[in-house]
Amino acid sequence: MLLSVITFLPALGALVLLFITGKGEAVDNLSRWIALGFTVATAALSLWLWYLFDPTTTAFQFVENIPFSDSIGYRMGVDGISVLFIPLTAVLMPAVVLTSWGSITKRVKEYLIVFLILETFMIGAFATLDLAIFYVFFEGTLIPMFLIIGIWGGARRIQATYKFFFYSFTGTVLMLLAIMYMYWQAGTLDIRVLLDFKFPPEVQTWLWIGFFASFAVKMPMWPFHRWLPEAHVEAPTGGSVILAAILLKMGGYGFIRFSISMFPDASHQFSTFVFVLSIAAIIITSLIALVQTDIKKLIAYSSVAHMGFVTMGIFTGNIYGIHGAIFQMISHGVVSAALFLCVGVVYDRMHTREIDAYGGFVERMPRYAFAFMVFTMANVGLPGTSGFIGEFLTMFAVFQVNTWVAFFAAFGVILSAGYALWLYRRVIFGALTKESLKGILDLDAREAVVLVPLVILTILFGFYPAPILDATAASVNLVAQNFANAIGAASEAAVAAAGH
Amino acid sequence: MQSAITSSDITSFASLAPAYPELLLAVGTVVLLLIALFWKSHRSGVIAGVAIVLLIATFALLVMQPGDAVLFNGVFIVDGFARYMKALVLGGAAFILLISLSSAREHGLDKFEYSILILLATLGMMVMVSANDLMSLYVGLELQSLALYVVAAMKRDDSKATEAGLKYFVLGALSSGMLLYGASLVYGFTGTTQIDQIVNAITAENRSIGLIFGMVFLLAGIAFKISAVPFHMWTPDVYEGAPTPVTAFFAAAPKVAAMALFVRVTMVSFESVTRDWQQIVIFLSIASMGLAAFAAIGQNNLKRLMAYSSIGHVGFALVGLSAGTITGAEGVAVYMAIYVAMTVGVFACLLSFKTADGSPIETIGELAGLSRKRPFVAAIFAILMFSLIGLPPLAGFFAKWQVFLAAIEQGLFVLAVIGVLASAVSAFYYLRIVKVMYFDEPTHEFAAVPAELGAVMAGVGFVVVTYFVTVGAPLTAAAALAAGSL
């Protein structure tokens, strides 16, 4: 029951908000407090889930199973791959609600309802054990996100939200057909059964392409990333946070859970292709990030680059790569969310995202400067921050598989230091010459409450990554083992065939 | 084909039991007509109310009906499939009558004839759905069509409505002619007009070219009625020109009846030449989905947009039939049920869209800022648009799930890929409505929503949102039962 409660508690919150009527500041604040209550309760339960989770077994835990029709059943359960994404989602949501105090002034109640529904969909996608239900939650996120960008976004929000919607929708419907084909092949959509089901290699190729169409857009991988910078820039702070921290991770989760676990032969076959796209993402988008004049756009491009490390790690198929990819996703979830929250802080004060409009914050906002520095260092991948571990593990993994890929990926590390530190210098350092910035205030209590836990997490996971690595270890081992077995069996078969 | 009981001779009134719903509706309609004629001071609203009650009573009788039967020398069949589709027809008709109550006057429909004609059309549809003979099929079809031709042109002093009525009549008559021609060819080459006997006269090896010709004409005639591309030309004009409540009716009940007919004729009569009609259905399906998705993008008139939307949805329903399997027929049955529910909801919203001074809203642009002024209606309409796109977790997704599942089972990958891409394109015009309602600033005030429309919207909205946990399982089970009885 715990998983269902965590999944649907936010939706219940949305339902409660639906019955609040009236207008004005008092109603808006009441709505915010209610939403905060529900998201904090969800976060607490999700941490409890993490605490109860038994990391020694590879079996799915907290399983619920209610059959619905022949093809669809309500099945829930988590293993080491999925369990951490639930607390990640749930912990970031209160931060999103807290930002609504400063940055959202119109249609506050609707804003909170849409976010709570979105939270249910996101948690559900990570918690479900039925492929059809996964699709329902995965695709369902499009509706709230479309509205969030479209209603509360910036000046070019409509174009941005359409682009977001159509990229995602077109990719995802192809996955839908692959899911249906899997149903007719395996006779069920229970993910536990499908993980053990061996699809013939030629079938795997097509199914892999169907899933890739969806996850590559979601991730996003170069060259399917075009929607992301615009969506990030135009979305309100909360939308950018969720987009970067959670929605992108659904792609990575999908790659691990479905692509390499269910279609190992095809994944192996396509791994070079994925490496090339990952390297392209890491280098090209890092270079693009260097020339951005808009803070949010710069962070958005850096997200694409970081996701390049994730895809690269996943498709090495070995323990370090998958471990590193999961760690990188959790870390990036915290760090990118924090960076967008930091941008939100100054945007709420100055209402511009142009880098040139800022400078010299260190004089007026020392606390802000410190928080921003921690997240910038984590973004660069400095040892001692959470950003380092994931990047290191994925590089280490890919070095074993393909040295050239590792060689090129290393450029990404250098470039990320370039754009992130340069951004920091231009925004925080320098002389405070601009008149408009003279009166700017440092973090207030509400903003500090949001950012301080993220600072702590970033540094904690940098020095002590064990909580994350331990929880995932058993399941990652199994995935890597199965992948290696499948590849080994395939290459043995090829050798046998050649021998005849 | 397994028909359980064959009682060809009528020995007592009790032996007519399977046809009680039709009899009740026929007798009730005639009595209501007489009452309305002789009771000079009647109010059309009261007649409409009685008509709704009559439809509900017929529905109740239908649901309580005993097992399967074939009556009247084999021309009338009652099986699970017929019952399921008739329930949809009756439900759709009753709800459309209900939502047209509040705006009957402004559309020139505040006459008792309107309700009577709708009842007669519904009776025709029930006969169509239960037809087990090409003759009874035609009789039902014509009863339905003739009633609807009149209803379309009921607003006599409106040039658009009369044009719509005339267009509908001319093209409808043409399609009936084609259907009859096809039926005569089929009779000529098989020696029978009975739907479940035709199949015995055809085998895949000895099928004659004349028979295939007859089948093609027959299917073309029915394709007109469901407005599948390339037989859809009348739909946008008629939908736009006819009074909105009439458009709502066109979009809901007749589509179900004609689709039921399509399924029965193809799956039962031409079972042994599935390969032949499958090609036709696949073509109709791809053409409908593709054309509707692109043609609707340029539309500004809401009713015209809904016309293209309904063409597209017929295309999606045909994806299920393309499979030519029981799973496919089940998919069609689920699809039509969800389609009818969404159509009722959409038209309840359309009928409530009025500016503050009471003039109806016809174009998309006029909906600007609806979410600020009428948040409830805007939310329901947006939910319906998302559902029509086929986004989970809304009902429209599960409809598409069923039909595409059937197509994939049969390996119709090209059809499936084209279908899902068409649904991605169609998202564009549905989203435009959401965009106008939610992202644009209001330019004028909107009239309040009548209570019964609000209730229908709330009901449909609830079903569409909670489909998976509420009606989903029973509906799928009922559809499986219905398709299994074919």
Side-chain angles (χ1 to χ4, degrees):
Chain A
M1 273 308 283
L2 183 59
L3 272 180
S4 289
V5 172
I6 293 174
T7 306
F8 290 101
L9 193 61
L12 183 69
L15 201 64
V16 170
L17 285 182
L18 216 51
F19 289 101
I20 292 180
T21 51
K23 282 193 164 64
E25 191 65 20
V27 174
D28 287 351
N29 275 332
L30 176 66
S31 309
R32 287 175 177 130
W33 280 110
I34 291 174
L36 190 63
F38 274 96
T39 49
V40 168
T42 312
L45 284 175
S46 73
L47 292 174
W48 193 39
L49 175 88
W50 188 4
Y51 173 75
L52 291 180
F53 181 79
D54 175 9
T56 55
T57 170
T58 58
F60 283 94
Q61 301 172 38
F62 309 100
V63 172
E64 300 162 36
N65 194 351
I66 305 166
F68 167 77
S69 72
D70 294 345
S71 50
I72 306 178
Y74 179 79
R75 303 184 179 93
M76 302 290 253
V78 287
D79 68 351
I81 307 291
S82 53
V83 67
L84 288 176
F85 292 104
I86 295 170
L88 177 70
T89 311
V91 166
L92 285 174
M93 279 305 291
V96 169
V97 175
L98 281 170
T99 60
S100 79
W101 254 281
S103 58
I104 300 298
T105 48
K106 61 166 188 175
R107 302 203 224 182
V108 175
K109 194 184 84 176
E110 285 92 332
Y111 180 81
L112 298 166
I113 290 176
V114 172
F115 263 105
L116 287 171
I117 292 172
L118 181 61
E119 185 180 7
T120 286
F121 287 156
M122 292 185 299
I123 296 178
F126 292 123
T128 185
L129 281 184
D130 187 277
L131 201 43
I133 301 293
F134 170 77
Y135 184 85
V136 167
F137 285 129
F138 186 84
E139 181 94 323
T141 57
L142 293 186
I143 303 176
M145 210 58 214
F146 176 78
L147 296 173
I148 288 167
I149 302 175
I151 298 178
W152 293 279
R156 285 159 49 80
R157 62 188 193 275
I158 289 167
Q159 194 190 346
T161 198
Y162 265 75
K163 222 174 201 178
F164 161 75
F165 187 93
F166 282 102
Y167 265 93
S168 308
F169 191 58
T170 312
T172 320
V173 288
L174 295 174
M175 177 173 81
L176 178 66
L177 299 180
I179 291 175
M180 288 173 174
Y181 191 74
M182 287 164 78
Y183 171 69
W184 291 118
Q185 288 270 309
T188 176
L189 286 176
D190 188 336
I191 288 173
R192 287 166 298 178
V193 179
L194 290 171
L195 284 173
D196 293 331
F197 191 86
K198 301 272 180 287
F199 292 97
E202 63 278 7
V203 170
Q204 280 189 23
T205 306
W206 289 103
L207 295 178
W208 191 91
I209 292 172
F211 277 76
F212 180 79
S214 175
F215 298 143
V217 170
K218 203 61 150 191
M219 199 75 197
M221 294 181 71
W222 187 88
F224 309 107
H225 68 285
R226 299 283 303 271
W227 60 271
L228 182 105
E230 280 189 53
H232 267 316
V233 168
E234 298 304 328
T237 303
S240 302
V241 167
I242 290 304
L243 203 52
I246 315 296
L247 290 181
L248 305 192
K249 308 305 176 286
M250 285 183 170
Y253 168 72
F255 275 136
I256 300 177
R257 170 70 84 223
F258 305 112
S259 297
I260 65 162
S261 301
M262 293 179 188
F263 324 125
D265 297 323
S267 296
H268 183 61
Q269 188 187 333
F270 283 111
S271 62
T272 314
F273 168 69
V274 174
F275 288 150
V276 170
L277 291 191
S278 303
I279 293 299
I282 291 170
I283 294 180
I284 296 175
T285 52
S286 293
L287 288 171
I288 298 173
L290 271 173
V291 299
Q292 294 307 315
T293 56
D294 180 313
I295 305 180
K296 268 185 154 182
K297 222 167 199 167
L298 192 151
I299 301 172
Y301 277 112
S302 92
S303 287
V304 181
H306 283 97
M307 289 301 105
F309 283 100
V310 173
T311 45
M312 188 179 79
I314 291 171
F315 281 90
T316 59
N318 61 36
I319 297 175
Y320 306 110
I322 299 168
H323 234 145
I326 293 179
F327 197 93
Q328 172 85 334
M329 284 196 275
I330 302 288
S331 155
H332 182 261
V334 173
V335 172
S336 66
L339 283 170
F340 279 115
L341 288 169
C342 283
V343 176
V345 167
V346 289
Y347 182 79
D348 288 346
R349 288 167 174 64
M350 307 308 301
H351 297 284
T352 176
R353 296 180 304 258
E354 289 296 313
I355 297 172
D356 291 342
Y358 295 120
F361 278 161
V362 71
E363 290 180 26
R364 294 263 169 239
M365 307 173 74
R367 279 176 285 176
Y368 177 78
F370 173 74
F372 199 52
M373 184 190 72
V374 172
F375 301 130
T376 301
M377 291 309 162
N379 206 25
V380 171
L382 189 79
T385 63
S386 64
F388 171 72
I389 315 256
E391 233 163 70
F392 176 77
L393 280 172
T394 50
M395 292 285 284
F396 183 68
V398 81
F399 196 79
Q400 296 179 334
V401 177
N402 191 327
T403 328
W404 282 107
V405 176
F407 174 75
F408 285 114
F411 283 101
V413 180
I414 300 167
L415 287 170
S416 77
Y419 62 71
L421 294 177
W422 196 33
L423 172 73
Y424 190 77
R425 194 198 75 77
R426 284 183 289 172
V427 173
I428 304 291
F429 292 146
L432 188 68
T433 50
K434 299 184 179 67
E435 273 308 311
S436 53
L437 299 179
K438 290 263 162 73
I440 200 161
L441 296 171
D442 205 351
L443 299 178
D444 62 25
R446 180 178 56 79
E447 289 158 347
V449 165
V450 173
L451 288 177
V452 166
L454 298 178
V455 169
I456 294 171
L457 281 181
T458 306
I459 295 173
L460 174 74
F461 288 148
F463 280 101
Y464 185 64
I468 293 176
L469 295 179
D470 287 351
T472 53
S475 298
V476 167
N477 270 331
L478 183 71
V479 171
Q481 190 99 51
N482 287 343
F483 184 76
N485 289 346
I487 305 308
S491 52
E492 270 168 33
V495 169
H500 277 293
Chain B
M1 177 63 213
Q2 64 277 10
S3 40
I5 320 154
T6 311
S7 56
S8 51
D9 50 342
I10 306 301
T11 49
S12 66
F13 190 65
S15 64
L16 285 174
Y20 276 173
E22 280 82 0
L23 291 174
L24 172 70
L25 190 57
V27 173
T29 307
V30 174
V31 170
L32 192 61
L33 175 63
L34 290 174
I35 290 173
L37 273 177
F38 287 100
W39 176 31
K40 295 290 179 197
S41 59
H42 73 266
R43 292 193 7 239
S44 61
V46 176
I47 302 292
V50 176
I52 295 171
V53 172
L54 186 59
L55 287 171
I56 294 171
T58 313
F59 184 90
L61 205 54
L62 179 80
V63 178
M64 291 187 305
Q65 219 176 27
D68 302 355
V70 177
L71 287 183
F72 310 121
N73 290 316
V75 301
F76 185 87
I77 184 168
V78 181
D79 55 5
F81 186 73
R83 260 198 297 278
Y84 179 93
M85 288 298 185
K86 276 194 249 183
L88 286 189
V89 167
L90 286 168
F95 274 108
I96 300 292
L97 270 183
L98 177 67
I99 62 174
S100 57
L101 280 178
S102 62
S103 50
R105 178 173 297 277
E106 73 198 58
H107 290 293
L109 300 174
D110 51 344
K111 311 184 181 80
F112 72 89
E113 288 94 337
Y114 171 64
S115 309
I116 301 291
L117 285 167
I118 292 288
L119 288 179
L120 284 174
T122 310
L123 179 63
M125 288 176 223
M126 292 178 74
V127 174
M128 274 163 79
V129 172
S130 264
N132 191 35
D133 192 289
L134 296 178
M135 301 298 280
S136 54
L137 179 159
Y138 186 73
V139 170
L141 191 72
E142 281 306 282
L143 176 57
Q144 182 241 168
S145 303
L146 285 171
L148 292 184
Y149 300 148
V150 182
V151 172
M154 206 150 192
K155 205 174 171 183
R156 275 176 306 181
D157 45 2
D158 183 288
S159 63
K160 263 190 168 174
T162 35
E163 185 196 327
L166 194 65
K167 226 171 223 169
Y168 191 34
F169 171 67
V170 172
L171 286 170
L174 177 70
S175 73
S176 296
M178 286 168 67
L179 194 136
L180 261 191
Y181 184 54
S184 65
L185 278 173
V186 169
Y187 174 64
F189 282 90
T190 60
T192 175
T193 55
Q194 205 157 316
I195 286 174
D196 54 3
Q197 301 296 318
I198 291 172
V199 67
N200 300 331
I202 317 170
T203 57
E205 292 75 39
N206 76 351
R207 68 198 212 282
S208 60
I209 191 75
L211 176 84
I212 298 299
F213 243 83
M215 183 184 79
V216 169
F217 274 105
L218 205 57
L219 297 189
I222 303 176
F224 253 108
K225 300 294 176 192
I226 58 171
S227 64
V229 177
F231 306 104
H232 68 289
M233 307 289 186
W234 58 274
T235 319
D237 292 337
V238 172
Y239 275 42
E240 188 188 352
T244 312
V246 176
T247 310
F249 191 75
F250 284 171
K255 287 270 163 72
V256 176
M259 189 59 87
L261 206 59
F262 206 155
V263 173
R264 190 185 290 283
V265 169
T266 49
M267 298 275 295
V268 177
S269 296
F270 299 110
E271 196 191 0
S272 40
V273 287
T274 301
R275 289 263 159 242
D276 293 297
W277 61 258
Q278 222 178 357
Q279 302 166 15
I280 299 173
V281 176
I282 289 173
F283 172 76
L284 292 176
S285 172
I286 290 179
S288 304
M289 292 186 295
L291 182 123
F294 286 99
I297 291 174
Q299 303 303 328
N300 274 321
N301 183 297
L302 279 165
K303 280 153 77 182
R304 236 182 142 75
L305 185 90
M306 287 319 295
Y308 282 108
S309 158
S310 83
I311 293 171
H313 282 280
V314 162
F316 285 113
L318 288 178
V319 170
L321 186 59
S322 303
T325 56
I326 295 296
T327 325
E330 181 189 334
V332 176
V334 171
Y335 203 98
M336 292 320 283
I338 293 172
Y339 168 76
V340 167
M342 292 192 297
T343 305
V344 167
V346 164
F347 277 93
C349 292
L350 287 186
L351 284 166
S352 79
F353 290 157
K354 285 174 194 159
T355 55
D357 57 8
S359 58
I361 288 171
E362 299 250 303
T363 60
I364 296 175
E366 288 174 89
L367 291 178
L370 185 71
S371 67
R372 307 301 285 275
K373 302 288 178 188
R374 299 273 162 214
F376 170 71
V377 187
I380 296 289
F381 204 51
I383 287 170
L384 287 167
M385 291 301 120
F386 283 125
S387 178
L388 287 168
I389 294 171
L391 279 177
L394 306 173
F397 164 72
F398 294 96
K400 291 207 167 110
W401 171 265
Q402 293 280 347
V403 289
F404 280 108
L405 202 59
I408 291 286
E409 185 190 20
Q410 291 302 303
L412 302 171
F413 301 120
V414 175
L415 172 70
V417 169
I418 293 176
V420 292
L421 291 181
S423 85
V425 175
S426 75
F428 187 81
Y429 61 83
Y430 292 123
L431 286 181
R432 194 153 66 100
I433 295 177
V434 177
K435 177 229 154 202
V436 169
M437 289 193 303
Y438 275 87
F439 307 168
D440 293 356
E441 292 301 319
T443 52
H444 56 82
E445 294 292 322
F446 294 90
V449 180
E452 80 275 10
L453 288 189
V456 170
M457 284 178 213
V460 172
F462 177 79
V463 167
V464 166
V465 170
T466 63
Y467 172 86
F468 183 72
V469 281
T470 53
V471 294
L475 182 72
T476 318
L481 207 64
S485 75
L486 274 175

